[in-house]
Amino acid sequence: MTPLASYACLPEQSRGRRHAEPPLPAHATSVRNPHQRDRDRIVHSTAFRRLVYKTQVFLNHEGDLFRTRMTHSLEVAQLGRSIARALGLNEDLVEAIALAHDLGHTPFGHAGQDALNECMAEHGGFEHNLQSLRVVDELEERYPSFNGLNLSFETREGILKHCSRRNAELLEQQDPGGVASRFLQGTHPSLEAQLCNLADAIAYNAHDIDDGVRSGLLTLEQLQEVSLFARFHAQTVAEFPGLASRRQLFETIRRMLSEQVYDVISATRAALQRVAPRHVDEVRRSEPLVRFSPSMHAESQALKSFLFRNLYRHPQVMQNTDGARTMVQDLFAAYVEQPEEMPTAYAQRPNRQRAVADYLAGMTDRFASREHARLKLGSDTH
Ligand code: MG
């Protein structure tokens, strides 16, 4: 195993967990470091298994081969680990953050999150990054003496990718000097956390092309306006004339992914050389260091905006999102009105709206649809 660089999050220097845990037996101490333990806790969590049935872009039941939040998270972890190893970063930590980064997503993708955020407008709002942290800090019920998974500071820091000032202040009150402090101080997270953000974008930009073409909503011709795609597509066609279009697509995406990975590695290496952080705390005080080169950044942004215009806003995708929005609104209103329809642990919580939001956010697409039908909340479009 490659030794970690001095600017990596070194497991032996972890800032630790929020709740004290009993000391490990002697034979266990050398087996897994704290970030490996975090990764394992995430993989065994209930919220992680639910990712299989949560929409990424295409509704979960629309086809068996589209990405779900689970396969998306695995792809982020794979890309993140490859880059982490090349840069001497902590691969276990990257894997833990990547596998947990979407745990707070509602059913039905962004439509579900937007609808829930609207329902919660007067009760503190709903934001999926913050919810991912709530899942690992509060909502998982797996340990006898504390809520949540009790993950290390570094994993939690990476999970909380964005945070509004107001939410950061609230978190800071509960956990002074914790993972929300950086949003008040204007500092940055570890390189491992920065890397997961970029790996997330690399992953969805690529797999949404694949899913978009598979669904018939995007065509190879249309994708020619995206320089990052067009370049590698032209290369592929020149090298393999007459190749079937599915294979053209996969080969193009493979080349795009590799190029972006190499680009991040070399641009980040250059930034690390220039800034020369000697410790993760110097990383936190420095400018963001994990990056694309300026030209790859521009190409990646162009691809993202292409997908936004042509896929995420496609009438067929939007039509599904309208149905999802109604479903979340109906369920929210029903549980607020009749909390006894939720499991007792949620029904008994004093802050009813937040309890409903937590319950709803945890649902898979199909569970939400079934609940909508069970509660007879109007004509189901799903
Ligand atoms: Mg993601």
Side-chain angles (χ1 to χ4, degrees):
M1 181 133 170
T2 336
L4 298 187
S6 63
Y7 47 69
C9 277
L10 306 178
E12 61 276 17
Q13 290 180 15
S14 170
R15 289 201 199 168
R17 307 180 186 281
R18 294 204 306 164
H19 309 286
E21 294 188 6
L24 295 168
H27 62 269
T29 44
S30 60
V31 176
R32 291 179 300 163
N33 69 43
H35 302 125
Q36 287 176 285
R37 286 180 187 281
D38 285 359
R39 187 232 11 242
D40 299 349
R41 289 176 189 199
I42 292 158
V43 168
H44 289 273
S45 71
T46 309
F48 184 71
R49 286 196 301 283
R50 289 185 177 136
L51 295 178
V52 184
Y53 300 109
K54 287 193 174 194
T55 288
Q56 180 72 24
V57 172
F58 293 92
L59 292 183
N60 193 271
H61 58 261
E62 286 183 307
D64 290 346
L65 293 175
F66 294 124
R67 266 63 175 191
T68 66
R69 295 246 170 241
M70 169 76 80
T71 52
H72 162 71
S73 300
L74 295 174
E75 291 181 30
V76 176
Q78 179 273 316
L79 289 164
R81 286 187 57 174
S82 297
I83 299 170
R85 191 178 297 193
L87 293 171
L89 298 178
N90 182 336
E91 262 184 77
D92 299 314
L93 176 58
V94 166
E95 190 177 16
I97 298 170
L99 295 179
H101 86 284
D102 273 352
L103 290 180
H105 267 289
T106 60
F108 311 125
H110 279 281
Q113 123 118 11
D114 292 348
L116 193 52
N117 189 31
E118 284 163 23
C119 294
M120 288 296 286
E122 282 165 24
H123 311 282
F126 179 89
E127 207 283 314
H128 73 262
N129 276 295
L130 199 57
Q131 191 68 11
S132 296
L133 189 67
R134 268 179 78 66
V135 167
V136 300
D137 279 0
E138 299 292 338
L139 298 176
E140 280 286 321
E141 297 178 315
R142 305 193 75 84
Y143 289 88
S145 50
F146 49 76
N147 285 337
L149 303 176
N150 201 26
L151 302 182
S152 68
F153 175 90
E154 295 75 22
T155 303
R156 296 173 57 248
E157 173 189 45
I159 291 173
L160 192 63
K161 181 161 76 170
H162 305 293
C163 190
S164 68
R165 184 156 189 102
R166 200 176 59 90
N167 285 329
E169 282 163 356
L170 289 171
L171 282 174
E172 185 66 14
Q173 277 169 20
Q174 297 159 15
D175 181 18
V179 291
S181 290
R182 78 172 194 269
F183 299 97
L184 303 171
Q185 293 163 353
T187 54
H188 298 282
S190 70
L191 295 167
E192 286 81 357
Q194 294 180 31
L195 172 53
C196 284
N197 288 347
L198 205 53
D200 188 19
I202 297 174
Y204 64 65
N205 277 338
H207 65 51
D208 289 348
I209 293 181
D210 181 11
D211 284 354
V213 173
R214 182 188 301 283
S215 67
L217 301 185
L218 295 179
T219 62
L220 291 182
E221 293 68 43
Q222 216 181 347
L223 278 155
Q224 300 307 319
E225 74 173 81
V226 179
S227 65
L228 187 57
F229 184 90
R231 252 184 319 136
F232 293 108
H233 186 246
Q235 233 181 49
T236 301
V237 173
E239 265 179 62
F240 303 98
L243 192 65
S245 68
R246 290 301 300 162
R247 290 185 196 236
Q248 275 179 25
L249 178 68
F250 293 143
E251 183 59 21
T252 306
I253 292 175
R254 180 178 6 263
R255 289 176 188 215
M256 278 173 58
L257 281 172
S258 300
E259 187 69 11
Q260 291 175 90
V261 165
Y262 301 140
D263 185 274
V264 172
I265 293 169
S266 76
T268 304
R269 270 191 188 140
L272 284 166
Q273 249 166 26
R274 183 169 50 76
V275 175
R278 288 159 302 177
H279 188 271
V280 62
D281 286 331
E282 290 183 14
V283 167
R284 292 186 175 109
R285 289 191 295 268
S286 144
E287 65 196 280
L289 295 167
V290 178
R291 59 180 67 175
F292 282 131
S293 65
S295 62
M296 184 60 85
H297 176 74
E299 285 196 295
S300 159
Q301 289 299 115
L303 168 55
K304 189 176 177 172
S305 101
F306 169 88
L307 288 169
F308 200 82
R309 284 179 279 115
N310 296 287
L311 185 62
Y312 312 143
R313 285 290 160 90
H314 191 286
Q316 213 167 306
V317 173
M318 294 300 282
Q319 194 190 343
N320 288 334
T321 48
D322 286 347
R325 173 180 298 265
T326 315
M327 202 173 291
V328 168
Q329 287 164 343
D330 290 349
L331 285 171
F332 186 86
Y335 293 127
V336 168
E337 186 77 7
Q338 305 160 265
E340 68 281 3
E341 295 293 346
M342 296 189 293
T344 322
Y346 289 92
Q348 288 176 343
R349 275 172 44 184
N351 183 338
R352 187 174 300 172
Q353 281 81 9
R354 185 57 61 192
V356 172
D358 286 340
Y359 184 49
L360 245 171
M363 290 181 184
T364 61
D365 292 10
R366 64 180 185 179
F367 184 77
S369 302
R370 274 193 220 142
E371 278 292 280
H372 198 259
R374 182 182 72 83
L375 296 166
K376 302 189 171 44
L377 300 173
S379 61
D380 274 309
T381 47
H382 299 281

